Amino acid sequence: MEATGGLYICSVLLILTEVSSEYIHIPSLVHHGIEGKHLLLSVETHFSLDEAEIQGTWSHTRPSGTRTTLVTFTKDNAITDMMYRNRLLFRVPNISLLIQKLNTDDEGEYHLSLHIEFHNRTGLVNRERTVRVTVDVPVSTPVLEKSPSNAVVEDKANVTWTCSVERGTRVVFQWLRDNVALTPSDRYQFSQDNSTLFISPVRKEDKGTYRCLASNAVSQGRNSRAVELNVYYGPYNLEVNSVQGLRTGEVFTINPGELVFFECQADSNPPNSYVWISKNRNTTQIITEGPRLEVRSYRLAQAEEYLCRAFNNVTQKQDEAQFTLVVASLGTGKEKHTQEGSSLSPLAVIIVCSFFVIGCMLLFFLKRTCHPKRVLMSIYNRPFSEQKRPHRSGHEDAKEDFGIYEFVSIPGKMESAQASCRSLARLESIQDMHTTIYDVIRHVPETPSHSLLT
């Protein structure tokens, strides 16, 4: 436990020693200065100047390698090189250096060498730091140019874009098309400084709005004006469509006498010129020109082939779309709705189902109410003695009893005088029940004996 505590105390002392050894600190080791502006090379001291004596120098090394001592200083005095006396500001005891009115000759590395001698210690403490300084000119608004300046034809022309600035050093260029950054590819080539974009060959997908951005270390990206690239292309994706009739693949079916309009469309710049051609028995005939065709047929089961031809007068390219027109009765249009994939609305489905259920219920109740077997059940429900009792009409004269009679025969034995509701249910399930109808022709006998025999 004691060993662990001792190790912790040593670690803290070591950290404190390292912090105390950082006698000077420079917040930024790289400075991007603007031409004509001041630049301060700030230095922070982490010790008391009253407890030590200091001596140091600021020197400048240019990109060419030439080194010049700018300032030699102590705690009380400073000596500045005569060549930089009007452009450098150094105030003791602060050891920071201010460069006034920067120019491109001030670029390079600035080296600080400092020697410290503390009053209560022996020996010197030496510290050295190097700061890199760049001097840039702010970027002006870039100018974008295109060659050729007019529209170009795809696969036949190349385009060169140039982005330039009037002012600015170490400018970085970036290219955008429709606000999307462009990168090198097989057809997109950039110059070494990225100020030129070469497109070869131009294609349809290259059309759009182009801009370039210019920036450097002291300027944020500045946009050029937008320039449109117009590309002549096509025709592509030629299609023939119609909102009437029934379409199956490349076959259109219409009702006899129906007026049908066909639209021919293709992706093209500039717009295509369209020609409609009728093909019949290996012969072709130009019907009309333009993107729309009007057809009215009065012949039943007629099949004709048509062709739409699109031609681009600038690109000298053309495309064709062929279709067959069949004249046939489509009936109520059920097939058309099936083909188009349309479906009934949920409300219509609910209404139809409701009517179907109600109809089934009505049929069921009518069948239960008006079923022919109801007569049999009414007879079966009467007492057996009443069923066997001979029926008399009340007329003593037999002549009045002539007519049509219905005799009903029910097989099986009656076990009870009156059938219960349960028996009636079984009665309906009897499969061998028969009804026999006898027709008696009513006539007037010629003689009393003949009438009696009848």
Side-chain angles (χ1 to χ4, degrees), residues 157-194:
N158 304 325
V159 174
T160 302
W161 296 90
T162 303
C163 188
S164 60
V165 293
E166 293 182 359
R167 299 183 309 276
T169 55
R170 285 187 281 265
V171 182
V172 177
F173 296 96
Q174 185 179 8
W175 294 91
L176 302 175
R177 183 187 68 233
D178 297 332
N179 296 324
V180 178
L182 300 178
T183 57
S185 65
D186 294 338
R187 297 187 302 107
Y188 284 51
Q189 302 175 10
F190 297 87
S191 61
Q192 186 174 1
D193 61 354
N194 220 40

Side-chain angles (χ1 to χ4, degrees), residues 3-17:
T4 305
L7 181 62
Y8 176 76
I9 293 173
C10 291
S11 300
V12 172
L13 291 175
L14 180 61
I15 295 174
L16 292 175
T17 303

Side-chain angles (χ1 to χ4, degrees), residues 76-266:
D76 301 319
N77 298 302
I79 300 175
T80 304
D81 190 289
M82 295 180 61
M83 298 292 297
Y84 298 91
R85 183 175 298 175
N86 297 328
R87 299 187 56 248
L88 297 178
L89 183 61
F90 186 87
R91 293 288 185 268
V92 293
N94 187 357
I95 60 177
S96 299
L97 180 65
L98 177 65
I99 307 173
Q100 303 181 80
K101 295 183 180 181
L102 283 171
N103 58 47
T104 55
D105 292 334
D106 295 327
E107 283 192 341
E109 294 181 349
Y110 288 78
H111 185 75
L112 171 62
S113 177
L114 182 63
H115 308 285
I116 307 171
E117 182 180 10
F118 292 96
H119 297 163
N120 55 356
R121 300 181 191 177
T122 58
L124 294 176
V125 177
N126 300 320
R127 292 292 181 267
E128 294 186 0
R129 296 290 186 271
T130 300
V131 180
R132 180 173 177 79
V133 174
T134 61
V135 180
D136 289 303
V137 177
V139 174
S140 60
T141 301
V143 177
L144 180 61
E145 295 179 351
K146 175 174 64 75
S147 178
S149 58
N150 53 355
V152 294
V153 180
E154 67 169 352
D155 297 325
K156 294 182 179 180
N158 304 325
V159 174
T160 302
W161 296 90
T162 303
C163 188
S164 60
V165 293
E166 293 182 359
R167 299 183 309 276
T169 55
R170 285 187 281 265
V171 182
V172 177
F173 296 96
Q174 185 179 8
W175 294 91
L176 302 175
R177 183 187 68 233
D178 297 332
N179 296 324
V180 178
L182 300 178
T183 57
S185 65
D186 294 338
R187 297 187 302 107
Y188 284 51
Q189 302 175 10
F190 297 87
S191 61
Q192 186 174 1
D193 61 354
N194 220 40
S195 63
T196 303
L197 168 61
F198 183 67
I199 305 176
S200 176
V202 175
R203 292 180 181 171
K204 169 192 171 183
E205 55 268 25
D206 298 327
K207 67 183 182 69
T209 303
Y210 286 75
R211 290 185 297 112
C212 71
L213 275 71
S215 62
N216 63 7
V218 296
S219 302
Q220 294 182 349
R222 306 197 63 177
N223 287 291
S224 68
R225 66 182 180 91
V227 178
E228 192 76 17
L229 175 60
N230 189 15
V231 180
Y232 295 136
Y233 62 89
Y236 294 125
N237 304 321
L238 181 63
E239 288 185 352
V240 176
N241 296 303
S242 177
V243 297
Q244 296 137 318
L246 174 65
R247 179 173 184 175
T248 305
E250 301 302 325
V251 178
F252 292 86
T253 305
I254 62 174
N255 284 313
E258 182 180 3
L259 181 62
V260 183
F261 296 97
F262 293 95
E263 296 285 344
C264 193
Q265 298 176 345

